[in-house]
Amino acid sequence: MDFLCFVRSPEKTRKMGPKSSKWIQLLLICFFYSHVSCSSVEQKIYVVVNKTTPCVRLLNATHQIGCQSSISGDTGVLHVLETPDDLDWITETGPHAPYMVLMETPAFTRSTMMRLKNSTRVAGVAVIHTSTPPDKGFSPHTSCPNQNTGVYTQSYGPELANCSTTVWNPLGNGLSYEDFPFPIFSLKDDNETQVIRKCYEDHNMRVNGSAPEYPLCAMQLFSHMHAVTDTVTCMRRTDLQNSFSINPEQLCDPLMDYNVWATIRPINATAKGHKANESMVIAATRLDGRSFFYDVAPSAEGTVSGIVTLLAAAEALRSVTQVAPPPRNIFFAFFQGETFDYIGSSRMVYDMQNNKSVIDFDNVHSFLEIGQVGLWNKQSLWMHSDPVSRRNDTVNEEVSSLVANIKSAASMLNLSLDEPNSTQALPPSSFQRFLRARPIPGVVLADHQSSFVNRYYESLYDTSEYLNVSYPPNLSPEEQLEYETEAAKSLTEVATLVARSLYKQAGGEDGMLKNITADTKTMAKLLYGFLVKSNNSWFRSLLPRDLVSRERNPILESGPPQYYVSLSQSQPKSVTTFVKYILANMTGTATRLNQSQCQNPKDISGESKDLYSYDWVSGPASENHTTGEPFCVRAPVRLAKAESPAFELRQYGSREYSTWTESRWKNIGARIFLVASPQLQMLTLGVGIAVLLVSLVVTYFISSKADILFSSTHDAPSTTY
Amino acid sequence: MTAAVFFGCTFIAFSPAVALFLLTIARDPLRVIFLIAGAFFWLVSLLLSSLVWFISVQISNKDSGSQQKGLLVFGVLLSVLLQELFRFAYYKLLKKANEGLLAISQEETMPISVRQLAYVSGLGFGLMSGAFSVVNILSNSVGPGTVGIHGDSQHYFISSAFMTLAIILLHMFWGVVFFDSCERRRWWSLGTVVCSHLFVSCLTFMNPQYEGSLIPTYMVLCVMAGWAFSCAGGSLRNLRLCLTCRDKDFLLVNHRPR
């Protein structure tokens, strides 16, 4: 019955089998309130906080990270953490333990959180998310991202393993990888937090350092996680349930989604394995990021800068590759789940090694990866390469020629471009997974020479503001979509550089290079869609109409999409979908097929589902039509499953592949209310017991003396019939 | 800790009724049957009044505050009148049933007197109405919170429990007086019962000034208790005899098989 008013919106609540006792209670109450979902008494007691984001539990082969509450939620008396004094009050002196700690994001530091974690007097933490980022930087990620699954190990460049030469993310405090025994929620700073603050000020404020009086304002957080210990345990329990239980309950799900890939010349996507006479230049970037909290991952610099650069480069290459196709093919790859030990790229490599992918390693000529490039500010870009594989002369030659190609493209653009110290390792990148399999020549393009320039790596603050994607005031959404920000202009230059480098690396003629230019307008629209508002007219025109107008789980939002990889539940994540359709627009062509032909083009001459995917997209809305004229786009764009091979191989304790899983949960929620003093509660119980005893005694007395008491000697009617 | 509040409130609201049931009713199957039949009659009256309530809420203007308030008053009045109507219907039914009962009874007299009937059916009414008025509050008292985040009094739970206690006992007394009035055809006292029921129900509009509703309710309860006592054949003399324990010889004189 506690949960009657309290079940969060269905897409966040993953359905589980019924727990009988709770349901019987619920049914009973529902019986009494058949058409009122929430009783007025409940509303008198509880104020539900809706705009919350929890921190959830993730598991890998050896650890669990994240947070959880007990199964019936964790309750604590609210205390606002503002000064070190408050921290002492919470962890040591305050009389009303356990406490629910309310803090603003500047206080959300490693030292504070670890002190709270080590205290037994903390019921949970609610962090109010303020939009001003800390000046000195904040990154809850580790200082050495994907430390154990990159290429550098004891057997491969041991002197470079574990970030021993370069700490890539020196600001990383590792909070995201801690396991907290209490729930931690993020609250949006708005009316709801005002209600919480008011409740705190009215009831819980300390007067002259003395403890406040009951009733006190308290908060309850629900985020019970079903999985525990590690992926091995959780998958074993899940498998056990699947084989023995009639009503199996999944405890955790592997993090997975889809990679997106496309080629400038179509290849047969249904035939797996080696492609004869194909040599590919792979241009890759990653699609995902994360932050401390669930499904909040703006990842502007960390991820989006790479996505938009590669998409704009793909568009810049389209016209030239149709006029003067280069001898080698270019393979655009967007890897999903890279934050969590390279899920997407390791799956691609695994598939290539096992002839399950459309190409294999013999088809790969070279590799160009776009890392974090958003903050280069026209200073300098850096070409990172792997020193270990370059010890081999042939590889070194090819890397040098790739570097020379990029440099010559840059010199045409007056960009300064450099290589870092030749002994420096590769930064965390998908390319590392390819190097694990074979020493492919390749380069990672990034805006940092050694450590990341990004001060908010994998944090809440890595937003559009950080990338300087900001608009003058008084612009309508349509004007903002078209507005060419400084960030758009500078990233367009990077995209042009990438496009020209790829063309040259693919063996294209130098004379054509000057015809390859990325479009600033496109870059502006990409940045707006990926960082500000995905529900814009351009994205709508590129997506199929059923996706645009979908009522349940709409993929277009009034804000930016979130880049957490999450779990693919039958359909790809919104970011994957956007990239797929935008890439189709960038590399494909509009055809004159009608809707049914578009769905099934196999009988039409010149069309082939093996070579292309066909999508019936909405089309741009014209001035007088609110919805556009839909048409069929033919493009060599495909999705490829990005699930870690560990789950296909059922090696849940794998050290080679990503084993990240996300725990399941039933409900996530938060509410505030007052708690009565223990004295008042005991007094109520005492009065109740007294009434019980008195009524037993009096009743016994009356019933035993009933004959005398009720013996009427006067006008009794004839009471018997 | 809040299980304490739950049990405390449950004991306050229901322990007199439960004690009465255990010590005076549970031993006699016929009384149990009449108790349950009384509870059933109360339920039917609730069904009717909730039907009317449901319809009138649907057709009313949900934005108008005064209309909703008026609707609430109307609902309370209607519900009280329906309850009393069903009490009368139950009385009529019992009268009819008595003849049948007498026919199948092997004894000359009825196995249950009309006063006992009045008491048992009144307790049945009270138990059911008490259960319905307090069970949702009890269910919320189990949770960690207490009333008051919107500035309400935090004595909500305990005052609701005491109110329920009074309502259960009042129903019992009203039943006794009501049946007695019907027997004697004293229509004015029948009217008084209905009026006092209306009065007590309207007192709840004083909430959340719980003193304002609880104190008058308990005053009415005392008056009704005295009245019901006298209707049931009690008198001050009996009470005095009883309390001073000089009842031994009195018993011998007035002993009468029940």
Side-chain angles (χ1 to χ4, degrees):
Chain A
M1 63 199 99
D2 293 343
F3 301 109
L4 202 62
C5 298
F6 206 66
V7 178
R8 216 172 138 110
S9 48
E11 73 271 11
K12 300 261 172 178
T13 313
R14 275 175 281 148
K15 197 182 173 304
M16 310 289 298
K19 277 258 160 56
S20 54
S21 63
K22 265 289 184 289
W23 282 102
I24 289 169
Q25 276 181 329
L26 219 148
L27 274 177
L28 269 176
I29 304 303
C30 285
F31 168 73
F32 289 120
Y33 297 93
S34 49
H35 45 260
V36 191
S37 62
C38 190
S39 81
S40 55
V41 181
E42 187 121 18
Q43 286 166 3
K44 274 171 125 39
I45 305 174
Y46 301 107
V47 174
V48 174
V49 187
N50 287 318
K51 288 177 190 159
T52 59
T53 312
C55 136
V56 302
R57 175 173 287 168
L58 302 178
L59 309 104
N60 70 3
T62 49
H63 288 79
Q64 60 178 25
I65 62 167
C67 331
Q68 82 150 346
S69 76
S70 65
I71 195 155
S72 52
D74 283 352
T75 305
V77 172
L78 270 178
H79 194 88
V80 174
L81 180 70
E82 277 166 340
T83 60
D85 200 28
D86 289 320
L87 199 55
D88 290 335
W89 182 264
I90 290 162
T91 54
E92 277 152 37
T93 49
H96 304 304
Y99 282 100
M100 186 64 70
V101 184
L102 190 67
M103 60 167 83
E104 293 199 346
T105 30
F108 185 68
T109 59
R110 184 176 175 89
S111 61
T112 312
M113 290 312 292
M114 292 318 280
R115 197 155 159 211
L116 295 177
K117 182 185 169 179
N118 293 330
S119 167
T120 53
R121 294 160 49 94
V122 176
V125 176
V127 185
I128 298 173
H129 177 46
T130 50
S131 48
T132 43
D135 293 332
K136 58 182 189 294
F138 174 77
S139 171
H141 210 76
T142 53
S143 55
C144 187
N146 289 350
Q147 183 172 358
N148 300 318
T149 44
V151 68
Y152 302 108
T153 56
Q154 288 311 315
S155 54
Y156 189 97
E159 72 282 2
L160 303 173
N162 300 323
C163 294
S164 46
T165 52
T166 317
V167 177
W168 295 107
N169 185 27
L171 290 164
N173 58 25
L175 264 187
S176 289
Y177 289 86
E178 287 292 333
D179 178 40
F180 290 95
F182 47 75
I184 303 178
F185 276 54
S186 160
L187 311 175
K188 262 225 176 86
D189 195 8
D190 60 3
N191 296 346
E192 285 186 333
T193 45
Q194 288 309 313
V195 172
I196 299 173
R197 280 173 201 276
K198 183 163 187 311
C199 183
Y200 172 77
E201 280 159 18
D202 288 351
H203 299 280
N204 293 16
M205 276 295 241
R206 275 188 289 167
V207 187
N208 303 329
S210 63
E213 300 275 334
Y214 279 104
L216 292 171
C217 190
M219 190 173 199
Q220 189 174 27
L221 301 179
F222 297 85
S223 65
H224 180 67
M225 297 291 146
H226 293 223
V228 75
T229 313
D230 52 35
T231 296
V232 183
T233 312
C234 150
M235 291 308 279
R236 187 188 69 227
R237 288 178 181 170
T238 303
D239 290 347
L240 263 178
Q241 288 222 23
N242 282 333
S243 43
F244 292 113
S245 171
I246 306 164
N247 185 16
E249 282 199 15
Q250 196 91 9
L251 298 176
C252 57
D253 305 277
L255 295 180
M256 59 170 290
D257 197 54
Y258 292 89
N259 296 330
V260 185
W261 63 264
T263 48
I264 54 167
R265 266 200 310 278
I267 54 173
N268 188 345
T270 40
K272 306 292 182 197
H274 185 73
K275 291 279 180 300
N277 306 323
E278 283 281 5
S279 179
M280 302 260 187
V281 179
I282 297 182
T285 191
R286 64 179 201 161
L287 278 178
D288 77 313
R290 72 170 299 204
S291 78
F292 186 82
F293 297 102
Y294 173 71
D295 212 8
V296 180
S299 296
E301 156 73 348
T303 303
V304 178
S305 62
I307 298 177
V308 294
T309 305
L310 199 53
L311 285 173
E315 192 197 33
L317 282 168
R318 176 168 56 184
S319 55
V320 175
T321 50
Q322 279 165 0
V323 179
R328 293 185 198 99
N329 208 340
I330 300 174
F331 187 94
F332 297 102
F334 295 81
F335 293 119
Q336 185 63 273
E338 296 296 282
T339 314
F340 294 97
D341 291 336
Y342 307 116
I343 296 171
S345 52
S346 64
R347 178 55 182 256
M348 176 110 189
V349 169
Y350 173 82
D351 285 347
M352 283 165 78
Q353 286 173 322
N354 293 287
N355 286 334
K356 289 174 180 172
S357 180
V358 286
I359 53 170
D360 73 354
F361 271 95
D362 294 329
N363 292 124
V364 179
H365 174 263
S366 51
F367 202 100
L368 174 64
E369 177 164 351
I370 322 295
Q372 308 182 58
V373 289
L375 294 173
W376 71 295
N377 286 330
K378 315 217 169 178
Q379 305 281 311
S380 172
L381 281 169
W382 299 90
M383 295 173 288
H384 298 268
S385 55
D386 171 40
V388 181
S389 60
R390 286 184 81 169
R391 286 174 201 155
N392 180 321
D393 285 339
T394 47
V395 174
N396 189 28
E397 246 170 59
E398 290 191 57
V399 174
S400 304
S401 98
L402 171 57
V403 166
N405 281 341
I406 301 174
K407 273 194 169 158
S408 75
S411 63
M412 293 171 71
L413 288 163
N414 290 327
L415 294 181
S416 68
L417 204 62
D418 248 318
E419 278 189 274
N421 183 347
S422 64
T423 56
Q424 183 174 283
L426 269 179
S429 53
S430 313
F431 182 42
Q432 294 200 10
R433 293 300 303 198
F434 285 79
L435 283 175
R436 273 174 85 120
R438 195 178 280 197
I440 301 169
V443 156
V444 176
L445 200 64
D447 57 12
H448 51 89
Q449 183 181 8
S450 56
S451 313
F452 295 160
V453 185
N454 187 354
R455 279 177 297 142
Y456 305 113
Y457 186 68
E458 309 291 24
S459 83
L460 287 168
Y461 303 114
D462 191 2
T463 57
S464 55
E465 287 89 48
Y466 187 50
L467 266 194
N468 273 324
V469 180
S470 49
Y471 300 91
N474 310 325
L475 283 190
S476 73
E478 279 308 304
E479 287 165 339
Q480 289 189 348
L481 176 65
E482 304 274 337
Y483 184 80
E484 294 171 11
T485 56
E486 285 304 311
K489 286 176 190 160
S490 79
L491 276 172
T492 309
E493 288 186 49
V494 183
T496 307
L497 168 72
V498 169
R500 289 184 183 182
S501 312
L502 284 172
Y503 188 71
K504 204 160 157 48
Q505 181 66 15
E509 296 160 33
D510 282 355
M512 301 301 289
L513 285 182
K514 61 179 186 305
N515 298 339
I516 304 175
T517 331
D519 181 19
T520 320
K521 205 89 195 166
T522 307
M523 181 59 80
K525 290 194 277 191
L526 284 169
L527 284 173
Y528 184 78
F530 279 108
L531 289 177
V532 182
K533 188 177 172 189
S534 61
N535 191 1
N536 58 62
S537 59
W538 191 56
F539 272 31
R540 279 199 301 273
S541 74
L542 298 181
L543 293 177
R545 189 172 283 169
D546 56 322
L547 280 180
V548 174
S549 55
R550 190 166 72 194
E551 294 285 323
R552 281 190 65 245
N553 299 328
I555 62 167
L556 292 168
E557 296 166 68
S558 56
Q562 300 301 332
Y563 292 86
Y564 173 62
V565 47
S566 193
L567 328 161
S568 153
Q569 288 166 331
S570 74
Q571 52 209 357
K573 246 189 98 66
S574 59
V575 176
T576 315
T577 314
F578 297 153
V579 169
K580 180 192 163 191
Y581 287 106
I582 293 168
L583 194 59
N585 181 268
M586 302 298 191
T587 58
T589 45
T591 62
R592 292 164 151 239
L593 303 177
N594 63 27
Q595 188 166 8
S596 58
Q597 288 171 326
C598 192
Q599 275 161 1
N600 192 10
K602 77 166 179 254
D603 300 332
I604 299 152
S605 65
E607 310 293 345
S608 162
K609 274 208 133 173
D610 293 337
L611 295 181
Y612 298 102
S613 67
Y614 294 82
D615 296 304
W616 187 248
V617 301
S618 303
S622 52
E623 288 293 321
N624 43 7
H625 288 94
T626 44
T627 56
E629 189 68 34
F631 60 93
C632 189
V633 169
R634 180 185 68 193
V637 178
R638 306 281 174 170
L639 295 181
K641 203 174 186 184
E643 184 189 31
S644 169
F647 296 99
E648 183 156 306
L649 298 168
R650 302 175 81 85
Q651 292 170 355
Y652 304 132
S654 171
R655 299 210 163 255
E656 191 181 353
Y657 296 114
S658 163
T659 49
W660 287 104
T661 50
E662 183 186 283
S663 168
R664 288 213 172 186
W665 59 82
K666 198 169 285 168
N667 63 34
I668 296 284
R671 56 184 184 178
I672 57 167
F673 47 84
L674 296 188
V675 288
S677 68
Q679 287 83 2
L680 183 67
Q681 297 180 13
M682 280 306 159
L683 183 74
T684 310
L685 183 62
V687 170
I689 291 171
V691 170
L692 179 67
L693 293 177
V694 167
S695 42
L696 281 174
V697 169
V698 170
T699 311
Y700 181 76
F701 178 76
I702 292 176
S703 80
S704 64
K705 303 274 176 82
D707 296 332
I708 317 147
L709 272 174
F710 303 115
S711 63
S712 59
T713 49
H714 52 277
D715 56 355
S718 54
T719 48
T720 50
Y721 301 84
Chain B
M1 275 312 277
T2 39
V5 176
F6 172 80
F7 283 110
C9 290
T10 313
F11 287 157
I12 293 170
F14 292 111
S15 54
V18 168
L20 285 167
F21 177 80
L22 288 179
L23 295 175
T24 64
I25 292 175
R27 276 174 296 181
D28 187 342
L30 205 55
R31 291 185 194 178
V32 175
I33 291 170
F34 284 120
L35 178 97
I36 292 185
F40 173 74
F41 265 70
W42 188 88
L43 271 182
V44 176
S45 83
L46 180 74
L47 179 72
L48 280 184
S49 47
S50 53
L51 259 179
V52 176
W53 171 255
F54 184 72
I55 293 164
S56 50
V57 164
Q58 291 299 317
I59 59 175
S60 74
N61 176 12
K62 290 190 178 66
D63 303 323
S64 151
S66 61
Q67 200 177 5
Q68 291 296 315
K69 181 85 182 166
L71 201 63
L72 194 63
V73 176
F74 161 75
V76 167
L77 297 184
L78 179 88
S79 172
V80 168
L81 292 177
L82 272 172
Q83 285 174 42
E84 295 302 332
L85 198 68
F86 270 85
R87 205 195 296 277
F88 187 71
Y90 189 49
Y91 169 75
K92 281 290 181 199
L93 183 84
L94 286 179
K95 290 292 270 188
K96 284 252 188 288
N98 265 324
E99 293 157 19
L101 266 178
L102 199 57
I104 57 166
S105 168
Q106 288 154 353
E107 294 169 32
E108 289 288 298
T109 55
M110 268 296 296
I112 184 164
S113 75
V114 86
R115 280 181 190 157
Q116 286 164 350
L117 270 181
Y119 154 66
V120 169
S121 67
L123 190 61
F125 267 60
L127 268 175
M128 213 22 104
S129 87
F132 268 77
S133 61
V134 86
V135 88
N136 64 325
I137 296 169
L138 285 180
S139 81
N140 281 304
S141 73
V142 185
T146 188
V147 172
I149 194 157
H150 301 298
D152 305 306
S153 161
Q154 59 165 332
H155 300 296
Y156 175 76
F157 288 131
I158 195 165
S159 23
S160 302
F162 272 110
M163 194 69 194
T164 309
L165 163 66
I167 293 283
I168 295 174
L169 292 179
L170 272 172
H171 263 292
M172 199 174 85
F173 298 144
W174 284 328
V176 172
V177 176
F178 191 99
F179 277 41
D180 186 65
S181 318
C182 290
E183 279 295 298
R184 301 178 199 213
R185 305 189 180 280
R186 284 203 305 211
W187 305 119
W188 63 267
S189 63
L190 211 65
T192 318
V193 167
V194 176
C195 288
S196 69
H197 193 170
L198 280 172
F199 175 68
V200 169
S201 294
C202 290
L203 276 177
T204 52
F205 289 120
M206 296 287 288
N207 289 342
Q209 271 79 46
Y210 298 118
E211 311 82 35
S213 62
L214 276 178
I215 295 170
T217 303
Y218 272 85
M219 277 155 55
V220 173
L221 178 68
C222 290
V223 173
M224 287 310 298
W227 192 1
F229 180 60
S230 82
C231 282
S235 61
L236 276 178
R237 181 174 148 272
N238 289 358
L239 194 63
R240 201 161 48 239
L241 281 172
C242 184
L243 288 175
T244 49
C245 297
R246 284 196 285 122
D247 50 340
K248 288 282 184 293
D249 37 11
F250 187 81
L251 250 180
L252 290 174
V253 178
N254 277 327
H255 185 75
R256 199 177 60 175
R258 280 209 285 166

